[in-house]
Amino acid sequence: DAGVTQSPTHLIKTRGQQVTLRCSPISGHKSVSWYQQVLGQGPQFIFQYYEKEERGRGNFPDRFSARQFPNYSSELNVNALLLGDSALYLCASSRAPSSYNEQFFGPGTRLTVL
Amino acid sequence: GQQLNQSPQSMFIQEGEDVSMNCTSSSIFNTWLWYKQDPGEGPVLLIALYKAGELTSNGRLTAQFGITRKDSFLNISASIPSDVGIYFCAGQASGNTPLVFGKGTRLSVIA
């Protein structure tokens, strides 16, 4: 079975631009979470979606938004990019929102903002 | 955002040595998790702990949920070169709260 997939792998944007990152969960997983991992830090929770509904939101500005589609894939959108948004964006999927013992991470999308 | 206090920040050890790292929080957690992250990949879950005082092993890895519920420990016995990577602790305060991660411990193994 395929693991969590994310696209694109790498992305370079300039300040003020907008970006959309995509995530496909493991088959059968209905919960998707997004994390931001700045270089040298641990992942920081951004959003969690379950059954297409937002179940949690971390301490991130409104420039960050996300959605989950009927097939449980998800998109993370970031508007008005800042230099500080440069990070590895990780997607993780699980069967249910708190099933962390069976939550699997994708390889991430490396975003660089110039 | 909140991050757990994880130490040491980095370690250089000889192959075959044992490794210990720990994670502390100012608040109580109901779940502690330990992950390993290799370059270019997402974190992979190593051990999950759900009860204060719990001691759980996964091969050469052993983790403990501190009895105060504010800390956790990970030990790796007889380290090998493939143990190289960054180890993260993560905690969850309750069923409705998100995971909070530590800053990681970077492990290097010298053959």
Side-chain angles (χ1 to χ4, degrees), chain A residues 35 37 40-45 59 88 90 98 100-103 105-108, chain B residues 1-3 33 35 37 40-43 45 50 88 92 95 97-99 101-103:
Chain A
Y35 295 84
Q37 186 176 21
Q41 303 287 317
Q44 291 266 359
F45 172 76
N59 189 23
L88 180 68
L90 295 163
S98 290
Y100 292 116
N101 61 327
E102 55 173 17
Q103 180 187 73
F105 283 83
Chain B
Q2 179 190 6
Q3 290 211 312
L33 305 162
Y35 292 86
Q37 187 173 27
E41 297 184 16
L45 181 65
Y50 300 102
F88 290 98
Q92 185 190 27
T97 59
L99 285 184
F101 281 79
K103 292 187 179 182

PDB file of all heavy atoms in Angstrom, chain A residues 35 37 40-45 59 88 90 98 100-103 105-108, chain B residues 1-3 33 35 37 40-43 45 50 88 92 95 97-99 101-103:
ATOM      1  N   TYR A  35       1.440  20.016   9.439  1.00  0.00           N
ATOM      2  CA  TYR A  35       2.429  20.540  10.365  1.00  0.00           C
ATOM      3  C   TYR A  35       3.443  21.379   9.591  1.00  0.00           C
ATOM      4  O   TYR A  35       3.761  21.095   8.439  1.00  0.00           O
ATOM      5  CB  TYR A  35       3.194  19.407  11.058  1.00  0.00           C
ATOM      6  CG  TYR A  35       2.360  18.537  11.970  1.00  0.00           C
ATOM      7  CD1 TYR A  35       1.616  17.477  11.467  1.00  0.00           C
ATOM      8  CD2 TYR A  35       2.337  18.773  13.347  1.00  0.00           C
ATOM      9  CE1 TYR A  35       0.856  16.671  12.301  1.00  0.00           C
ATOM     10  CE2 TYR A  35       1.587  17.970  14.187  1.00  0.00           C
ATOM     11  CZ  TYR A  35       0.849  16.922  13.657  1.00  0.00           C
ATOM     12  OH  TYR A  35       0.100  16.123  14.497  1.00  0.00           O
ATOM     13  N   GLN A  37       7.412  22.524   9.837  1.00  0.00           N
ATOM     14  CA  GLN A  37       8.666  22.223  10.518  1.00  0.00           C
ATOM     15  C   GLN A  37       9.752  23.165   9.997  1.00  0.00           C
ATOM     16  O   GLN A  37      10.290  22.992   8.906  1.00  0.00           O
ATOM     17  CB  GLN A  37       9.081  20.774  10.311  1.00  0.00           C
ATOM     18  CG  GLN A  37      10.305  20.384  11.133  1.00  0.00           C
ATOM     19  CD  GLN A  37      10.673  18.918  11.009  1.00  0.00           C
ATOM     20  OE1 GLN A  37      10.294  18.244  10.057  1.00  0.00           O
ATOM     21  NE2 GLN A  37      11.412  18.406  11.977  1.00  0.00           N
ATOM     22  N   GLY A  40      15.648  22.968  12.114  1.00  0.00           N
ATOM     23  CA  GLY A  40      16.187  22.898  13.469  1.00  0.00           C
ATOM     24  C   GLY A  40      15.136  22.822  14.563  1.00  0.00           C
ATOM     25  O   GLY A  40      15.478  22.825  15.753  1.00  0.00           O
ATOM     26  N   GLN A  41      13.860  22.746  14.186  1.00  0.00           N
ATOM     27  CA  GLN A  41      12.772  22.680  15.157  1.00  0.00           C
ATOM     28  C   GLN A  41      11.940  21.418  14.933  1.00  0.00           C
ATOM     29  O   GLN A  41      12.056  20.750  13.908  1.00  0.00           O
ATOM     30  CB  GLN A  41      11.859  23.899  15.013  1.00  0.00           C
ATOM     31  CG  GLN A  41      12.552  25.236  15.150  1.00  0.00           C
ATOM     32  CD  GLN A  41      12.939  25.556  16.562  1.00  0.00           C
ATOM     33  OE1 GLN A  41      12.165  25.336  17.496  1.00  0.00           O
ATOM     34  NE2 GLN A  41      14.146  26.066  16.759  1.00  0.00           N
ATOM     35  N   GLY A  42      11.091  21.116  15.897  1.00  0.00           N
ATOM     36  CA  GLY A  42      10.142  20.039  15.714  1.00  0.00           C
ATOM     37  C   GLY A  42       8.920  20.531  14.951  1.00  0.00           C
ATOM     38  O   GLY A  42       8.712  21.733  14.782  1.00  0.00           O
ATOM     39  N   PRO A  43       8.107  19.613  14.453  1.00  0.00           N
ATOM     40  CA  PRO A  43       6.886  20.006  13.733  1.00  0.00           C
ATOM     41  C   PRO A  43       5.929  20.805  14.630  1.00  0.00           C
ATOM     42  O   PRO A  43       5.809  20.523  15.817  1.00  0.00           O
ATOM     43  CB  PRO A  43       6.260  18.665  13.340  1.00  0.00           C
ATOM     44  CG  PRO A  43       7.393  17.685  13.355  1.00  0.00           C
ATOM     45  CD  PRO A  43       8.295  18.151  14.451  1.00  0.00           C
ATOM     46  N   GLN A  44       5.257  21.794  14.027  1.00  0.00           N
ATOM     47  CA  GLN A  44       4.247  22.586  14.716  1.00  0.00           C
ATOM     48  C   GLN A  44       2.910  22.337  14.041  1.00  0.00           C
ATOM     49  O   GLN A  44       2.801  22.453  12.825  1.00  0.00           O
ATOM     50  CB  GLN A  44       4.581  24.079  14.606  1.00  0.00           C
ATOM     51  CG  GLN A  44       5.792  24.520  15.386  1.00  0.00           C
ATOM     52  CD  GLN A  44       5.429  25.046  16.753  1.00  0.00           C
ATOM     53  OE1 GLN A  44       4.265  25.105  17.113  1.00  0.00           O
ATOM     54  NE2 GLN A  44       6.428  25.422  17.535  1.00  0.00           N
ATOM     55  N   PHE A  45       1.899  22.024  14.840  1.00  0.00           N
ATOM     56  CA  PHE A  45       0.571  21.708  14.324  1.00  0.00           C
ATOM     57  C   PHE A  45      -0.071  22.932  13.684  1.00  0.00           C
ATOM     58  O   PHE A  45      -0.087  24.023  14.273  1.00  0.00           O
ATOM     59  CB  PHE A  45      -0.293  21.198  15.474  1.00  0.00           C
ATOM     60  CG  PHE A  45      -1.742  21.010  15.126  1.00  0.00           C
ATOM     61  CD1 PHE A  45      -2.145  19.922  14.383  1.00  0.00           C
ATOM     62  CD2 PHE A  45      -2.696  21.913  15.563  1.00  0.00           C
ATOM     63  CE1 PHE A  45      -3.484  19.736  14.070  1.00  0.00           C
ATOM     64  CE2 PHE A  45      -4.033  21.739  15.267  1.00  0.00           C
ATOM     65  CZ  PHE A  45      -4.429  20.651  14.514  1.00  0.00           C
ATOM     66  N   ASN A  59      -1.816  27.683  16.230  1.00  0.00           N
ATOM     67  CA  ASN A  59      -1.619  29.126  16.375  1.00  0.00           C
ATOM     68  C   ASN A  59      -0.935  29.693  15.134  1.00  0.00           C
ATOM     69  O   ASN A  59       0.247  30.069  15.177  1.00  0.00           O
ATOM     70  CB  ASN A  59      -0.798  29.399  17.634  1.00  0.00           C
ATOM     71  CG  ASN A  59      -0.748  30.868  17.961  1.00  0.00           C
ATOM     72  OD1 ASN A  59      -1.618  31.635  17.552  1.00  0.00           O
ATOM     73  ND2 ASN A  59       0.272  31.265  18.688  1.00  0.00           N
ATOM     74  N   LEU A  88       9.594  23.047   6.051  1.00  0.00           N
ATOM     75  CA  LEU A  88       9.111  21.761   5.531  1.00  0.00           C
ATOM     76  C   LEU A  88       7.670  21.620   6.019  1.00  0.00           C
ATOM     77  O   LEU A  88       7.412  21.708   7.218  1.00  0.00           O
ATOM     78  CB  LEU A  88       9.974  20.624   6.067  1.00  0.00           C
ATOM     79  CG  LEU A  88       9.597  19.204   5.613  1.00  0.00           C
ATOM     80  CD1 LEU A  88       9.870  19.029   4.116  1.00  0.00           C
ATOM     81  CD2 LEU A  88      10.367  18.157   6.419  1.00  0.00           C
ATOM     82  N   LEU A  90       4.606  19.246   6.515  1.00  0.00           N
ATOM     83  CA  LEU A  90       4.334  17.817   6.632  1.00  0.00           C
ATOM     84  C   LEU A  90       2.840  17.564   6.719  1.00  0.00           C
ATOM     85  O   LEU A  90       2.113  18.292   7.387  1.00  0.00           O
ATOM     86  CB  LEU A  90       4.999  17.258   7.894  1.00  0.00           C
ATOM     87  CG  LEU A  90       6.520  17.273   7.936  1.00  0.00           C
ATOM     88  CD1 LEU A  90       7.023  17.104   9.358  1.00  0.00           C
ATOM     89  CD2 LEU A  90       7.071  16.159   7.046  1.00  0.00           C
ATOM     90  N   SER A  98      -7.518  11.140  16.781  1.00  0.00           N
ATOM     91  CA  SER A  98      -6.544  10.950  17.868  1.00  0.00           C
ATOM     92  C   SER A  98      -5.828   9.609  17.799  1.00  0.00           C
ATOM     93  O   SER A  98      -5.255   9.167  18.787  1.00  0.00           O
ATOM     94  CB  SER A  98      -7.240  11.099  19.223  1.00  0.00           C
ATOM     95  OG  SER A  98      -7.595  12.442  19.437  1.00  0.00           O
ATOM     96  N   TYR A 100      -2.987   8.509  17.121  1.00  0.00           N
ATOM     97  CA  TYR A 100      -1.593   8.849  16.852  1.00  0.00           C
ATOM     98  C   TYR A 100      -0.706   7.616  16.756  1.00  0.00           C
ATOM     99  O   TYR A 100       0.367   7.673  16.159  1.00  0.00           O
ATOM    100  CB  TYR A 100      -1.080   9.804  17.925  1.00  0.00           C
ATOM    101  CG  TYR A 100      -1.730  11.165  17.843  1.00  0.00           C
ATOM    102  CD1 TYR A 100      -2.525  11.639  18.870  1.00  0.00           C
ATOM    103  CD2 TYR A 100      -1.565  11.956  16.721  1.00  0.00           C
ATOM    104  CE1 TYR A 100      -3.122  12.875  18.794  1.00  0.00           C
ATOM    105  CE2 TYR A 100      -2.166  13.188  16.632  1.00  0.00           C
ATOM    106  CZ  TYR A 100      -2.946  13.645  17.671  1.00  0.00           C
ATOM    107  OH  TYR A 100      -3.545  14.869  17.583  1.00  0.00           O
ATOM    108  N   ASN A 101      -1.134   6.503  17.350  1.00  0.00           N
ATOM    109  CA  ASN A 101      -0.321   5.294  17.250  1.00  0.00           C
ATOM    110  C   ASN A 101      -0.358   4.706  15.848  1.00  0.00           C
ATOM    111  O   ASN A 101       0.424   3.825  15.519  1.00  0.00           O
ATOM    112  CB  ASN A 101      -0.789   4.246  18.272  1.00  0.00           C
ATOM    113  CG  ASN A 101      -2.225   3.835  18.024  1.00  0.00           C
ATOM    114  OD1 ASN A 101      -3.029   4.644  17.582  1.00  0.00           O
ATOM    115  ND2 ASN A 101      -2.553   2.594  18.304  1.00  0.00           N
ATOM    116  N   GLU A 102      -1.270   5.190  15.012  1.00  0.00           N
ATOM    117  CA  GLU A 102      -1.307   4.758  13.617  1.00  0.00           C
ATOM    118  C   GLU A 102      -1.371   5.968  12.687  1.00  0.00           C
ATOM    119  O   GLU A 102      -1.970   5.924  11.640  1.00  0.00           O
ATOM    120  CB  GLU A 102      -2.483   3.827  13.358  1.00  0.00           C
ATOM    121  CG  GLU A 102      -3.820   4.393  13.756  1.00  0.00           C
ATOM    122  CD  GLU A 102      -4.977   3.511  13.325  1.00  0.00           C
ATOM    123  OE1 GLU A 102      -4.749   2.328  13.007  1.00  0.00           O
ATOM    124  OE2 GLU A 102      -6.113   4.007  13.293  1.00  0.00           O
ATOM    125  N   GLN A 103      -0.726   7.051  13.098  1.00  0.00           N
ATOM    126  CA  GLN A 103      -0.612   8.232  12.258  1.00  0.00           C
ATOM    127  C   GLN A 103       0.698   8.149  11.492  1.00  0.00           C
ATOM    128  O   GLN A 103       1.756   7.922  12.081  1.00  0.00           O
ATOM    129  CB  GLN A 103      -0.635   9.502  13.114  1.00  0.00           C
ATOM    130  CG  GLN A 103      -0.514  10.785  12.299  1.00  0.00           C
ATOM    131  CD  GLN A 103      -0.381  12.004  13.181  1.00  0.00           C
ATOM    132  OE1 GLN A 103       0.634  12.240  13.790  1.00  0.00           O
ATOM    133  NE2 GLN A 103      -1.424  12.820  13.214  1.00  0.00           N
ATOM    134  N   PHE A 105       3.300   9.988   8.619  1.00  0.00           N
ATOM    135  CA  PHE A 105       3.683  11.246   7.986  1.00  0.00           C
ATOM    136  C   PHE A 105       4.119  11.010   6.544  1.00  0.00           C
ATOM    137  O   PHE A 105       4.712   9.971   6.215  1.00  0.00           O
ATOM    138  CB  PHE A 105       4.848  11.900   8.738  1.00  0.00           C
ATOM    139  CG  PHE A 105       4.457  12.588  10.010  1.00  0.00           C
ATOM    140  CD1 PHE A 105       4.319  11.872  11.188  1.00  0.00           C
ATOM    141  CD2 PHE A 105       4.213  13.958  10.023  1.00  0.00           C
ATOM    142  CE1 PHE A 105       3.956  12.512  12.374  1.00  0.00           C
ATOM    143  CE2 PHE A 105       3.859  14.605  11.193  1.00  0.00           C
ATOM    144  CZ  PHE A 105       3.725  13.883  12.371  1.00  0.00           C
ATOM    145  N   GLY A 106       3.845  12.004   5.706  1.00  0.00           N
ATOM    146  CA  GLY A 106       4.407  12.016   4.372  1.00  0.00           C
ATOM    147  C   GLY A 106       5.812  12.584   4.404  1.00  0.00           C
ATOM    148  O   GLY A 106       6.292  13.011   5.460  1.00  0.00           O
ATOM    149  N   PRO A 107       6.486  12.604   3.239  1.00  0.00           N
ATOM    150  CA  PRO A 107       7.869  13.101   3.194  1.00  0.00           C
ATOM    151  C   PRO A 107       7.984  14.617   3.272  1.00  0.00           C
ATOM    152  O   PRO A 107       9.070  15.141   3.500  1.00  0.00           O
ATOM    153  CB  PRO A 107       8.379  12.602   1.844  1.00  0.00           C
ATOM    154  CG  PRO A 107       7.138  12.486   1.013  1.00  0.00           C
ATOM    155  CD  PRO A 107       6.036  12.091   1.959  1.00  0.00           C
ATOM    156  N   GLY A 108       6.853  15.316   3.103  1.00  0.00           N
ATOM    157  CA  GLY A 108       6.880  16.762   3.233  1.00  0.00           C
ATOM    158  C   GLY A 108       7.076  17.499   1.921  1.00  0.00           C
ATOM    159  O   GLY A 108       7.531  16.935   0.923  1.00  0.00           O
TER     160      GLY A 108
ATOM    161  N   GLY B   1       4.999  28.897  18.850  1.00  0.00           N
ATOM    162  CA  GLY B   1       4.103  27.943  19.489  1.00  0.00           C
ATOM    163  C   GLY B   1       4.819  27.140  20.559  1.00  0.00           C
ATOM    164  O   GLY B   1       6.046  27.146  20.643  1.00  0.00           O
ATOM    165  N   GLN B   2       4.047  26.424  21.379  1.00  0.00           N
ATOM    166  CA  GLN B   2       4.640  25.651  22.465  1.00  0.00           C
ATOM    167  C   GLN B   2       5.459  24.490  21.925  1.00  0.00           C
ATOM    168  O   GLN B   2       5.058  23.816  20.960  1.00  0.00           O
ATOM    169  CB  GLN B   2       3.529  25.085  23.361  1.00  0.00           C
ATOM    170  CG  GLN B   2       4.037  24.237  24.505  1.00  0.00           C
ATOM    171  CD  GLN B   2       2.928  23.497  25.235  1.00  0.00           C
ATOM    172  OE1 GLN B   2       1.786  23.528  24.823  1.00  0.00           O
ATOM    173  NE2 GLN B   2       3.270  22.825  26.313  1.00  0.00           N
ATOM    174  N   GLN B   3       6.631  24.254  22.519  1.00  0.00           N
ATOM    175  CA  GLN B   3       7.419  23.082  22.210  1.00  0.00           C
ATOM    176  C   GLN B   3       7.933  22.496  23.507  1.00  0.00           C
ATOM    177  O   GLN B   3       8.174  23.211  24.466  1.00  0.00           O
ATOM    178  CB  GLN B   3       8.577  23.411  21.269  1.00  0.00           C
ATOM    179  CG  GLN B   3       8.136  23.757  19.852  1.00  0.00           C
ATOM    180  CD  GLN B   3       9.144  23.369  18.795  1.00  0.00           C
ATOM    181  OE1 GLN B   3      10.318  23.651  18.922  1.00  0.00           O
ATOM    182  NE2 GLN B   3       8.679  22.739  17.722  1.00  0.00           N
ATOM    183  N   LEU B  33       4.777  10.336  22.805  1.00  0.00           N
ATOM    184  CA  LEU B  33       5.186   9.606  21.604  1.00  0.00           C
ATOM    185  C   LEU B  33       6.639   9.936  21.305  1.00  0.00           C
ATOM    186  O   LEU B  33       7.101  11.042  21.581  1.00  0.00           O
ATOM    187  CB  LEU B  33       4.312  10.012  20.408  1.00  0.00           C
ATOM    188  CG  LEU B  33       2.795   9.861  20.588  1.00  0.00           C
ATOM    189  CD1 LEU B  33       2.060  10.677  19.561  1.00  0.00           C
ATOM    190  CD2 LEU B  33       2.398   8.402  20.498  1.00  0.00           C
ATOM    191  N   TYR B  35       9.414   9.776  18.028  1.00  0.00           N
ATOM    192  CA  TYR B  35       9.550   9.634  16.588  1.00  0.00           C
ATOM    193  C   TYR B  35      11.023   9.715  16.199  1.00  0.00           C
ATOM    194  O   TYR B  35      11.825  10.318  16.890  1.00  0.00           O
ATOM    195  CB  TYR B  35       8.829  10.776  15.855  1.00  0.00           C
ATOM    196  CG  TYR B  35       7.334  10.783  15.955  1.00  0.00           C
ATOM    197  CD1 TYR B  35       6.691  11.385  17.038  1.00  0.00           C
ATOM    198  CD2 TYR B  35       6.547  10.216  14.957  1.00  0.00           C
ATOM    199  CE1 TYR B  35       5.312  11.411  17.124  1.00  0.00           C
ATOM    200  CE2 TYR B  35       5.161  10.242  15.034  1.00  0.00           C
ATOM    201  CZ  TYR B  35       4.554  10.846  16.114  1.00  0.00           C
ATOM    202  OH  TYR B  35       3.177  10.866  16.186  1.00  0.00           O
ATOM    203  N   GLN B  37      13.273  10.901  12.672  1.00  0.00           N
ATOM    204  CA  GLN B  37      13.185  11.518  11.355  1.00  0.00           C
ATOM    205  C   GLN B  37      14.523  11.415  10.654  1.00  0.00           C
ATOM    206  O   GLN B  37      15.542  11.865  11.174  1.00  0.00           O
ATOM    207  CB  GLN B  37      12.746  12.988  11.463  1.00  0.00           C
ATOM    208  CG  GLN B  37      12.478  13.645  10.115  1.00  0.00           C
ATOM    209  CD  GLN B  37      11.895  15.038  10.260  1.00  0.00           C
ATOM    210  OE1 GLN B  37      12.105  15.725  11.247  1.00  0.00           O
ATOM    211  NE2 GLN B  37      11.136  15.483   9.259  1.00  0.00           N
ATOM    212  N   GLY B  40      15.116  14.206   4.606  1.00  0.00           N
ATOM    213  CA  GLY B  40      14.240  14.119   3.445  1.00  0.00           C
ATOM    214  C   GLY B  40      12.980  13.317   3.663  1.00  0.00           C
ATOM    215  O   GLY B  40      12.243  13.050   2.708  1.00  0.00           O
ATOM    216  N   GLU B  41      12.728  12.936   4.912  1.00  0.00           N
ATOM    217  CA  GLU B  41      11.543  12.133   5.196  1.00  0.00           C
ATOM    218  C   GLU B  41      10.753  12.728   6.350  1.00  0.00           C
ATOM    219  O   GLU B  41      11.249  13.564   7.099  1.00  0.00           O
ATOM    220  CB  GLU B  41      11.947  10.696   5.524  1.00  0.00           C
ATOM    221  CG  GLU B  41      12.637   9.990   4.365  1.00  0.00           C
ATOM    222  CD  GLU B  41      12.943   8.548   4.668  1.00  0.00           C
ATOM    223  OE1 GLU B  41      12.377   7.997   5.629  1.00  0.00           O
ATOM    224  OE2 GLU B  41      13.768   7.961   3.937  1.00  0.00           O
ATOM    225  N   GLY B  42       9.525  12.259   6.485  1.00  0.00           N
ATOM    226  CA  GLY B  42       8.725  12.674   7.630  1.00  0.00           C
ATOM    227  C   GLY B  42       9.055  11.826   8.841  1.00  0.00           C
ATOM    228  O   GLY B  42       9.689  10.786   8.736  1.00  0.00           O
ATOM    229  N   PRO B  43       8.649  12.268  10.022  1.00  0.00           N
ATOM    230  CA  PRO B  43       8.899  11.492  11.237  1.00  0.00           C
ATOM    231  C   PRO B  43       8.199  10.141  11.184  1.00  0.00           C
ATOM    232  O   PRO B  43       7.106  10.020  10.631  1.00  0.00           O
ATOM    233  CB  PRO B  43       8.293  12.364  12.344  1.00  0.00           C
ATOM    234  CG  PRO B  43       8.210  13.737  11.770  1.00  0.00           C
ATOM    235  CD  PRO B  43       7.984  13.544  10.304  1.00  0.00           C
ATOM    236  N   LEU B  45       6.914   6.998  13.709  1.00  0.00           N
ATOM    237  CA  LEU B  45       6.620   6.680  15.107  1.00  0.00           C
ATOM    238  C   LEU B  45       7.429   5.469  15.555  1.00  0.00           C
ATOM    239  O   LEU B  45       7.449   4.426  14.884  1.00  0.00           O
ATOM    240  CB  LEU B  45       5.126   6.394  15.276  1.00  0.00           C
ATOM    241  CG  LEU B  45       4.677   6.062  16.697  1.00  0.00           C
ATOM    242  CD1 LEU B  45       4.872   7.269  17.622  1.00  0.00           C
ATOM    243  CD2 LEU B  45       3.215   5.622  16.706  1.00  0.00           C
ATOM    244  N   TYR B  50       0.855   5.581  26.951  1.00  0.00           N
ATOM    245  CA  TYR B  50      -0.472   6.095  27.276  1.00  0.00           C
ATOM    246  C   TYR B  50      -0.770   6.171  28.770  1.00  0.00           C
ATOM    247  O   TYR B  50      -1.843   6.662  29.148  1.00  0.00           O
ATOM    248  CB  TYR B  50      -1.544   5.230  26.603  1.00  0.00           C
ATOM    249  CG  TYR B  50      -1.428   5.210  25.098  1.00  0.00           C
ATOM    250  CD1 TYR B  50      -0.862   4.118  24.435  1.00  0.00           C
ATOM    251  CD2 TYR B  50      -1.849   6.299  24.344  1.00  0.00           C
ATOM    252  CE1 TYR B  50      -0.742   4.116  23.059  1.00  0.00           C
ATOM    253  CE2 TYR B  50      -1.734   6.298  22.963  1.00  0.00           C
ATOM    254  CZ  TYR B  50      -1.184   5.201  22.331  1.00  0.00           C
ATOM    255  OH  TYR B  50      -1.062   5.194  20.960  1.00  0.00           O
ATOM    256  N   PHE B  88      12.476  12.864  17.982  1.00  0.00           N
ATOM    257  CA  PHE B  88      11.542  13.847  18.528  1.00  0.00           C
ATOM    258  C   PHE B  88      10.621  13.189  19.541  1.00  0.00           C
ATOM    259  O   PHE B  88      10.119  12.090  19.308  1.00  0.00           O
ATOM    260  CB  PHE B  88      10.665  14.446  17.427  1.00  0.00           C
ATOM    261  CG  PHE B  88      11.385  15.353  16.467  1.00  0.00           C
ATOM    262  CD1 PHE B  88      11.808  14.870  15.246  1.00  0.00           C
ATOM    263  CD2 PHE B  88      11.636  16.679  16.795  1.00  0.00           C
ATOM    264  CE1 PHE B  88      12.471  15.694  14.349  1.00  0.00           C
ATOM    265  CE2 PHE B  88      12.298  17.510  15.910  1.00  0.00           C
ATOM    266  CZ  PHE B  88      12.721  17.019  14.688  1.00  0.00           C
ATOM    267  N   GLN B  92       0.536  14.774  23.986  1.00  0.00           N
ATOM    268  CA  GLN B  92      -0.831  15.238  23.805  1.00  0.00           C
ATOM    269  C   GLN B  92      -1.454  15.391  25.178  1.00  0.00           C
ATOM    270  O   GLN B  92      -1.446  14.455  25.980  1.00  0.00           O
ATOM    271  CB  GLN B  92      -1.642  14.258  22.963  1.00  0.00           C
ATOM    272  CG  GLN B  92      -3.043  14.748  22.645  1.00  0.00           C
ATOM    273  CD  GLN B  92      -3.935  13.706  22.013  1.00  0.00           C
ATOM    274  OE1 GLN B  92      -3.770  12.515  22.221  1.00  0.00           O
ATOM    275  NE2 GLN B  92      -4.904  14.152  21.229  1.00  0.00           N
ATOM    276  N   GLY B  95      -7.582  14.277  24.650  1.00  0.00           N
ATOM    277  CA  GLY B  95      -8.023  13.725  23.373  1.00  0.00           C
ATOM    278  C   GLY B  95      -8.349  14.766  22.324  1.00  0.00           C
ATOM    279  O   GLY B  95      -8.327  14.462  21.135  1.00  0.00           O
ATOM    280  N   THR B  97      -6.792  17.818  22.022  1.00  0.00           N
ATOM    281  CA  THR B  97      -5.710  18.766  21.772  1.00  0.00           C
ATOM    282  C   THR B  97      -4.700  18.166  20.804  1.00  0.00           C
ATOM    283  O   THR B  97      -4.546  16.951  20.733  1.00  0.00           O
ATOM    284  CB  THR B  97      -5.001  19.146  23.079  1.00  0.00           C
ATOM    285  OG1 THR B  97      -4.474  17.959  23.690  1.00  0.00           O
ATOM    286  CG2 THR B  97      -5.970  19.819  24.035  1.00  0.00           C
ATOM    287  N   PRO B  98      -4.000  19.034  20.041  1.00  0.00           N
ATOM    288  CA  PRO B  98      -3.049  18.513  19.054  1.00  0.00           C
ATOM    289  C   PRO B  98      -1.739  18.071  19.706  1.00  0.00           C
ATOM    290  O   PRO B  98      -1.464  18.382  20.866  1.00  0.00           O
ATOM    291  CB  PRO B  98      -2.812  19.719  18.144  1.00  0.00           C
ATOM    292  CG  PRO B  98      -3.050  20.897  19.012  1.00  0.00           C
ATOM    293  CD  PRO B  98      -4.124  20.503  19.976  1.00  0.00           C
ATOM    294  N   LEU B  99      -0.942  17.369  18.948  1.00  0.00           N
ATOM    295  CA  LEU B  99       0.382  16.974  19.409  1.00  0.00           C
ATOM    296  C   LEU B  99       1.282  18.200  19.518  1.00  0.00           C
ATOM    297  O   LEU B  99       1.233  19.100  18.682  1.00  0.00           O
ATOM    298  CB  LEU B  99       1.029  16.003  18.424  1.00  0.00           C
ATOM    299  CG  LEU B  99       0.540  14.563  18.399  1.00  0.00           C
ATOM    300  CD1 LEU B  99       1.378  13.763  17.416  1.00  0.00           C
ATOM    301  CD2 LEU B  99       0.582  13.933  19.775  1.00  0.00           C
ATOM    302  N   PHE B 101       5.395  18.957  19.840  1.00  0.00           N
ATOM    303  CA  PHE B 101       6.672  18.287  19.625  1.00  0.00           C
ATOM    304  C   PHE B 101       7.810  18.987  20.359  1.00  0.00           C
ATOM    305  O   PHE B 101       7.749  20.197  20.616  1.00  0.00           O
ATOM    306  CB  PHE B 101       7.019  18.269  18.129  1.00  0.00           C
ATOM    307  CG  PHE B 101       6.287  17.215  17.346  1.00  0.00           C
ATOM    308  CD1 PHE B 101       4.977  17.408  16.952  1.00  0.00           C
ATOM    309  CD2 PHE B 101       6.915  16.030  17.006  1.00  0.00           C
ATOM    310  CE1 PHE B 101       4.291  16.435  16.223  1.00  0.00           C
ATOM    311  CE2 PHE B 101       6.240  15.052  16.282  1.00  0.00           C
ATOM    312  CZ  PHE B 101       4.924  15.254  15.889  1.00  0.00           C
ATOM    313  N   GLY B 102       8.854  18.213  20.664  1.00  0.00           N
ATOM    314  CA  GLY B 102      10.101  18.788  21.134  1.00  0.00           C
ATOM    315  C   GLY B 102      10.928  19.268  19.959  1.00  0.00           C
ATOM    316  O   GLY B 102      10.553  19.085  18.796  1.00  0.00           O
ATOM    317  N   LYS B 103      12.092  19.876  20.261  1.00  0.00           N
ATOM    318  CA  LYS B 103      12.950  20.412  19.207  1.00  0.00           C
ATOM    319  C   LYS B 103      13.856  19.349  18.609  1.00  0.00           C
ATOM    320  O   LYS B 103      14.524  19.611  17.618  1.00  0.00           O
ATOM    321  CB  LYS B 103      13.784  21.572  19.744  1.00  0.00           C
ATOM    322  CG  LYS B 103      12.968  22.793  20.095  1.00  0.00           C
ATOM    323  CD  LYS B 103      13.845  23.967  20.468  1.00  0.00           C
ATOM    324  CE  LYS B 103      13.006  25.188  20.786  1.00  0.00           C
ATOM    325  NZ  LYS B 103      13.841  26.362  21.112  1.00  0.00           N
TER     326      LYS B 103
END
